[in-house]
Amino acid sequence: MYLKMHLLSRRAYSGLLFSQGSMATCLRRGKSLIKPRLCRNISLSCQRYTVMASWIIDRYGRNDVLRFTNNMTFPVIHFPNEVIIKVHAASLNPIDVNMRNGYGVAALNMKRDPLKLKSTGSEFPLTLGRDVSGVIMECGLNVSYFKPGDEVWAAIPPWKQGTISEFVVASGNEISHKPKCLSHMEAASLPYVGLTAWSAMNQIGGLNQDNCSGKRILIFGASGGVGTFAIQLMKAWGGHVTAVCSQDASTLVKKLGADDVIDYKSGDVAEQLKMLPLFDFILDNVGGPTEKWSLDFLKKWSGATYVTLVTPFLLNVDRLGVADGMLQTGVTIGTKAVKHLCKGIHYRWAFFTPSGQSLDEIAKLVESGKIHPVVDQVFSFSEVPKAFLKLEGGHARGKTVINVINKK
């Protein structure tokens, strides 16, 4: 008993003692100084589990750095607003391939260890994967909207351990109740791309269900994960959508609601766009040369907005370091914003933003039948390297999903 109390005391001191369960009696000897309403059952997940199955990397590189292990350390609740989720399904995004290759490591390590107290490489072993659909196993003391057994979905920020594992820890602010109309495989395809599109079009672009009706929306890279979600979101809000993709994806984007489809392989995209009226909003998932000419197709001096998801922020920080990289990034966005504002156009950058509240809004759209998951292919948990190769091949038509429950 002394050993148990000693371990509990150490964990309480370090902030690890915040999960619901069955060991509260160990802390209620004698006269308690804790108010009765704060006396919560406590359990330590590490007493029941110590390791779990996971796909990890021990260094950055190509696909051969992916390694399966049955001995990944089981996640622990560190803060009272966290939950442990049993992962049923996950999905891959381009950021997972980029992170595997080491892209953005400087900025992400700054977020993980802002005081630089840890040694280089302390992020390893690193689990990739941002999307999760699963069941809550344990809740922190301050988690009030969820309970063990709830089916939830979430997109985990890239500086945290990922979801291609049996269990994952998430903040209560990052999760939402999974739409009941979706399976775990379907649900896992939506959070990251949905929140990215929501950030770009709603939080940064200012579009919503009250002001989007009749507006002309142009989407570059319309057949990918973010693009297919953005098409549906804009149609749900009453917008007129023009999608730019390849001919073999035209059937898909039309099915999702696109009013006009531009095939970038059939000729110069700019020439094809000249045949259409100007646009109120552009979402650019492609970047590169597209940015140089696409803003010419916006309605000037009418509040028209260009939002791109392809930014140099992580590259600048990797190349120049944190301070100089952030400075260079600030100069770049500031210069471009002012330049285009003088021409009557709002120029913006957008990034993925984790938000359980936004997922609640997305869930409503899913349950009302206005947004549907677009799954390109489902891989078993043992086929994760194949799933990465599939994603690296490009030309995705929706999302690549991992069935974590199916180990074979």
Side-chain angles (χ1 to χ4, degrees), residues 373-395:
V374 182
V375 177
D376 189 5
Q377 190 171 349
V378 178
F379 291 85
S380 69
F381 195 47
S382 63
E383 298 176 315
V384 167
K386 292 182 180 179
F388 269 84
L389 290 176
K390 169 68 169 59
L391 185 63
E392 279 189 279
H395 305 291

Side-chain angles (χ1 to χ4, degrees), residues 1 79 103 132 222 366 385:
M1 179 58 72
F79 300 99
Y103 176 73
V132 59
V366 171

Side-chain angles (χ1 to χ4, degrees), residues 221-232 235 241-262 372-377 390 395-400:
S223 63
V226 174
T228 53
F229 184 94
I231 291 172
Q232 297 180 84
K235 294 305 298 179
V241 177
T242 298
V244 178
C245 60
S246 62
Q247 178 62 38
D248 60 347
S250 62
T251 302
L252 169 64
V253 298
K254 287 180 180 178
K255 182 179 179 181
L256 295 175
D259 300 284
D260 298 309
V261 179
I262 302 294
H372 303 274
V374 182
V375 177
D376 189 5
Q377 190 171 349
K390 169 68 169 59
H395 305 291
R397 303 293 177 259
K399 291 297 294 296
T400 300

